[in-house]
């Protein structure tokens, strides 16, 4: 159990019950849904080859994220993840913004998952002769059920995630093997279905926008820092195993889908892997991938509720938000007020916004968070050099991953700008306004020294 | 350094703060949607009496369209011909860069000011607290 050194008294803390497998399940569980839906919009933005290049460039971006994050988080073992890192390394305003990035990235992703659950139910209903059903009850039910699960306890929540994530990942492998890519009579027809780049190289840049969806959320493993038994070992292990799993799943998914569907269809499909299973001529595979899609969306929404609520809770505990949100349930030891509060926000977007918009909101918040990471790790190494703090993991080739991450983020901003520039500017204006609100109003309610909770030396240069 | 003691915020003040944050968040995300400025939509090209050949589809593609539920070229024409418009103005791009860089610059500068105050109160002039 974690005790805090804040001035506000904490009666109970979060439970330390999780192992590396749960960390893997949290990270991969949030992200794997990206293989089941959303990534294929990259095909629509640039064509099949562009999506593959986006998949790999995004893979490099997220490898940098995972390496950087693993080092910092192996020393900052507290709920809030990157929010807590920013608070100790850059400063309160940055931390407040990072906390909001986390909450919005995960809440929008949760909304996107719920939309997909509704769409899947609708698709399956239409296939069985019951077209035109109302998707909204399924969207509401999915969010409410998972919020209840999160309310009841983190161990059950992430054990549930472990099981359904493993099933969804296995389903992709099974689909790949069943299509026998090594065989001459395979249904995969890349030579006939692949085309030149429909938008040229500009489309490759544009595809980077949804290429992020292959991996978005892997950094959420850090949110479990305060509930993991051995954070210095489990967090780097779970995060790096997670990114390796996702690189494999992303490449397999791309290979399967572009070998089965014309790119124009794939680029707008709501459930591409399920469509791939429909084309596999196997009812068993169709059922497995149908459940795989359902489980992947539920696992992702589940992890998102977990992560968004931890970030909101941590900000409440520090008084960055009203302290009321910083409460832990006396019996279940979960941040129950934060969990409940974020439910209607997810519902507002799940019921009222189109899927590509919701995904874009999530990606933009994620992108802002990744832009913060290079500054974070460079300042971390500067303020606390390697010999000054024992790290559970030291990422190699510093500062190369940080520079690479910043460059790839710049490319991704341009990719989002191509078509979704209005949202990008609207979101930036929002963050500028809330930053001013925090600095000139909200920060007066925050204890100064009480924010710094790590047992570290004074930072160099201060 | 004197320890800063924050004022106690009343319940109504806490509620107002949450409402302000939510209005800003939901408003800024929804306003582009309501104003029809959000997102880029693909625009299909009008093709009179489309055939699979005129849509550039080979035999394998046609077979897959059929299996996906598109029995004739007219039903798939809008999906096949739809394209994004990637033309953009350099002014818009410049505006985005200025806002983005300005936002991060503002945040780093204000954060640094708050951070120095926090470190000063936490550690004073000594080393480890």
């Amino acid at each position: 159990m974690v005790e805090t050194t804040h001035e506000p008294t904490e009666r109970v803390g979060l439970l330390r019950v999780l192992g590396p497998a749960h960390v893997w399940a949290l990270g991969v569980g949030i992200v794997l849904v990206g293989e089941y839906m959303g990534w294929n919009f990259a095909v629509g933005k640039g064509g099949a080859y562009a999506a593959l290049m986006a998949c790999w460039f995004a893979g490099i971006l997220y490898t940098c994220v995972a390496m950087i994050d693993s080092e910092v988080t192996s020393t900052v073992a507290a709920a809030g993840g990157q929010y807590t890192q920013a608070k100790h390394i850059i400063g309160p305003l940055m931390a407040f913004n990072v906390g909001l990035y986390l909450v919005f990235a995960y809440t929008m992703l949760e909304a996107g998952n719920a939309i997909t659950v509704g769409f899947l139910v609708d698709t399956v209903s239409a296939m069985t002769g019951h077209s035109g059903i109302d998707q909204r009850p399924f969207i509401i039910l999915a969010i409410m059920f998972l919020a209840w699960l999160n309310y009841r306890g983190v161990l059950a929540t992430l054990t549930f995630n472990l099981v359904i994530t493993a099933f969804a990942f296995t389903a992709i492998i099974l689909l790949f093997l069943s299509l026998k890519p090594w065989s001459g009579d395979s249904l995969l027809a890349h030579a006939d279905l692949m085309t030149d780049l429909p938008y040229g190289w500009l489309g490759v840049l544009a595809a980077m926008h949804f290429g992020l969806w292959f991996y978005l959320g892997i950094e959420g493993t850090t949110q479990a820092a305060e509930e993991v038994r051995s954070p210095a070992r489990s967090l780097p292990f779970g995060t790096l195993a997670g990114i390796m799993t996702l690189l494999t799943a992303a490449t397999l998914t791309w290979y399967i889908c572009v070998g089965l569907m014309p790119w124009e269809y794939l680029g707008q499909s709501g459930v591409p892997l399920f469509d791939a299973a429909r084309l596999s001529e196997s009812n068993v595979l169709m059922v497995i991938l149908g459940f795989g899609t359902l489980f992947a969306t539920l696992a992702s929404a589940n992890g998102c509720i977990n992560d968004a609520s931890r970030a909101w809770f941590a900000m409440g505990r520090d008084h960055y938000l009203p302290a009321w949100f910083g409460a832990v349930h006396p019996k279940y030891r979960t941040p129950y007020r934060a969990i409940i509060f974020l439910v209607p926000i997810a519902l507002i977007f799940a019921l009222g916004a189109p899927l590509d918009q919701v995904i874009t909101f999530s990606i933009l918040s994620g992108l802002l968070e990744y832009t913060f990471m290079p500054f974070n790790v460079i300042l971390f190494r500067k303020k606390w050099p390697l010999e000054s703090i024992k790290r559970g993991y030291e990422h190699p080739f510093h500062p190369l991953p940080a520079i690479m991450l910043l460059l790839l983020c710049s490319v991704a901003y341009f990719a989002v700008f191509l078509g979704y520039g209005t949202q990008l500017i609207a979101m930036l204006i929002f963050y500028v306004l809330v930053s001013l609100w925090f600095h000139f109003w909200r920060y007066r309610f925050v204890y100064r020294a009480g924010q710094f909770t790590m047992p570290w030396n004074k930072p160099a240069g201060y | 350094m004197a320890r800063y003691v924050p004022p106690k915020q009343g319940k109504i003040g806490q509620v107002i703060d949450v409402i302000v944050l939510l209005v800003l968040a939901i408003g800024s995300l929804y306003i582009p949607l309501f104003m029809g400025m959000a997102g880029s939509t693909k625009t299909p090209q009008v093709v009179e009496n489309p055939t699979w050949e005129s849509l550039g589809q080979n035999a394998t593609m046609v077979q897959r369209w059929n299996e996906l539920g598109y029995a004739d070229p007219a039903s798939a024409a809008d999906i096949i011909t739809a394209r994004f418009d990637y033309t953009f103005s350099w002014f818009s791009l410049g505006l985005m860069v200025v806002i983005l860089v300005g936002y991060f610059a503002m945040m780093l500068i204000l954060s640094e000011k708050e951070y120095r105050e926090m470190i000063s109160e936490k550690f004073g002039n000594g080393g480890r607290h």
Side-chain angles (χ1 to χ4, degrees):
Chain A
M1 189 170 71
V2 174
E3 291 181 6
T4 68
T5 57
H6 296 197
E7 277 81 349
T9 52
E10 291 293 326
R11 288 181 290 278
V12 285
L14 303 171
L15 276 177
R16 284 204 182 280
V17 289
L18 305 177
H22 294 104
V23 175
W24 176 89
L26 178 61
V28 177
I30 287 177
V31 186
L32 198 62
V33 71
E35 268 66 307
Y36 279 88
M37 65 91 173
W39 72 271
N40 53 303
F41 294 148
V43 176
K45 281 195 88 173
Y49 283 119
L52 180 63
M53 285 184 256
C55 167
W56 286 345
F57 277 116
I60 296 171
L61 185 152
Y62 279 92
T63 303
C64 295
V65 165
M67 285 164 62
I68 289 171
D69 218 29
S70 292
E71 173 171 331
V72 184
T73 205
S74 68
T75 60
V76 185
Q82 291 82 7
Y83 155 77
T84 309
Q85 297 174 16
K87 192 177 62 173
H88 287 87
I89 297 167
I90 298 185
L93 179 61
M94 184 84 235
F96 176 69
N97 277 265
V98 170
L100 291 183
Y101 302 158
L102 293 166
V103 170
F104 284 113
Y106 292 124
T107 305
M108 294 300 145
L109 177 48
E110 177 194 342
N113 290 323
I115 292 171
T116 306
V117 169
F119 184 76
L120 181 68
V121 171
D122 186 41
T123 304
V124 173
S125 301
M127 288 167 64
T128 52
H130 300 88
S131 56
I133 62 157
D134 189 349
Q135 298 180 20
R136 288 174 297 181
F138 299 97
I139 291 173
I140 296 169
L141 191 64
I143 289 177
M144 297 291 282
F145 167 70
L146 295 174
W148 171 78
L149 198 61
N150 271 272
Y151 182 97
R152 290 295 303 263
V154 69
L155 185 60
T157 302
L158 293 189
T159 303
F160 175 69
N161 248 36
L162 183 59
V163 173
I164 61 179
T165 301
F167 180 94
F169 180 65
T170 307
I172 297 175
I173 305 279
L174 272 179
L175 178 62
F176 176 74
L177 295 175
S178 304
L179 290 168
K180 298 183 216 160
W182 58 85
S183 164
D185 60 350
S186 171
L187 287 170
L188 295 168
H190 293 89
D192 292 331
L193 294 172
M194 300 284 284
T195 64
D196 291 338
L197 293 169
Y199 297 97
W201 287 99
L202 193 60
V204 176
L205 283 177
M208 187 73 176
H209 172 188
F210 288 109
L212 297 183
W213 202 243
F214 275 116
Y215 314 97
L216 193 132
I218 183 65
E219 70 282 2
T221 51
T222 60
Q223 296 299 325
E226 209 165 304
E227 292 153 281
V228 170
R229 287 190 296 270
S230 172
R233 185 180 74 91
S234 299
L235 289 173
F237 182 81
T239 306
L240 294 172
I243 193 70
M244 284 184 244
T245 307
L246 292 170
L247 282 164
T248 307
T251 307
L252 289 181
T253 300
W254 177 88
Y255 187 79
I256 292 167
C257 290
V258 301
L260 286 174
M261 286 170 255
W263 76 269
E264 297 96 331
Y265 177 84
L266 179 58
Q268 52 82 58
S269 170
V271 279
L273 272 174
F274 182 62
D275 284 335
R278 284 168 60 199
L279 291 170
S280 71
E281 301 173 353
S282 163
N283 287 336
V284 174
L285 274 179
M286 202 163 69
V287 171
I288 290 175
L289 267 294
F291 276 106
T293 306
L294 182 66
F295 287 172
T297 50
L298 291 178
S300 179
N302 199 26
C304 286
I305 294 171
N306 181 86
D307 284 0
S309 61
R310 265 62 182 174
W312 197 261
F313 157 79
M315 287 200 287
R317 191 169 61 178
D318 289 333
H319 293 204
Y320 283 31
L321 294 172
W324 187 79
F325 292 113
V328 174
H329 194 284
K331 182 178 176 188
Y332 302 123
R333 310 282 281 277
T334 52
Y336 67 114
R337 288 177 184 164
I339 290 169
I340 294 169
F341 178 77
L342 293 173
V343 167
I345 298 173
L347 285 173
I348 286 171
F349 284 92
L351 296 171
L355 180 61
D356 69 323
Q357 302 294 336
V358 170
I359 288 177
T360 298
F361 291 148
S362 180
I363 286 173
L364 276 173
S365 289
L367 196 50
L368 289 167
E369 185 194 344
Y370 308 144
T371 311
F372 135 82
M373 286 182 177
F375 297 109
N376 191 44
V377 76
I378 287 168
L379 287 172
F380 182 52
R381 287 274 182 118
K382 191 177 160 201
K383 292 178 181 179
W384 290 278
L386 289 179
E387 64 277 9
S388 67
I389 295 181
K390 187 178 184 308
R391 278 112 160 129
Y393 168 80
E394 291 170 14
H395 81 279
F397 311 121
H398 177 79
L400 200 59
I403 294 167
M404 178 71 77
L405 179 54
L406 205 52
L407 283 174
L408 288 169
C409 283
S410 305
V411 173
Y413 280 117
F414 183 67
V416 176
F417 172 76
L418 289 174
Y420 293 81
T422 310
Q423 286 96 319
L424 177 54
I425 290 175
M427 191 166 253
L428 285 172
I429 289 171
F430 160 70
Y431 280 114
V432 169
L433 290 176
V434 293
S435 294
L436 295 172
W437 174 81
F438 177 82
H439 182 74
F440 290 108
W441 169 252
R442 182 71 219 172
Y443 191 55
R444 75 187 58 193
F445 300 108
V446 179
Y447 288 92
R448 302 307 197 241
Q451 300 170 79
F452 199 100
T453 53
M454 289 295 124
W456 295 349
N457 288 324
K458 190 175 183 179
Y462 285 82
Chain B
M1 181 182 175
R3 183 164 283 251
Y4 174 76
V5 179
K8 189 167 173 60
Q9 191 180 27
K11 283 182 181 169
I12 294 174
Q14 294 191 32
V15 171
I16 290 172
D17 272 7
V18 172
I19 290 172
V20 167
L21 200 56
L22 286 181
V23 167
L24 283 173
I26 295 171
S28 65
L29 298 181
Y30 258 106
I31 284 171
L33 286 175
F34 285 137
M35 296 178 71
M37 299 188 307
S40 110
T41 49
K42 284 181 177 177
T43 312
Q45 297 162 12
V46 179
V47 180
E48 295 292 334
N49 303 317
T51 62
W52 289 119
E53 290 74 23
S54 69
L55 294 172
Q57 303 297 296
N58 61 33
T60 306
M61 293 170 179
V62 174
Q63 181 202 347
R64 299 295 160 89
W65 281 110
N66 291 338
E67 288 171 1
L68 287 164
Y70 297 86
D72 59 87
S75 62
D78 278 357
I79 296 176
I80 293 171
T81 61
R83 291 289 184 275
F84 284 108
D85 179 7
Y86 287 149
T87 53
F88 63 90
S89 80
W90 288 99
F91 173 78
S92 301
L93 182 62
L95 181 68
M96 182 199 78
V97 172
V98 167
I99 295 177
L100 187 62
V101 173
Y103 163 64
F104 272 101
M106 175 196 78
M107 201 160 40
L108 289 171
I109 291 167
L110 294 180
S111 286
E112 176 67 11
K113 190 179 165 197
E114 295 167 349
Y115 190 74
R116 283 193 176 277
E117 190 187 4
M118 175 175 87
I119 295 299
S120 174
E121 188 177 301
K122 173 77 181 176
F123 295 97
N125 295 320
R128 188 169 176 143
H129 195 257

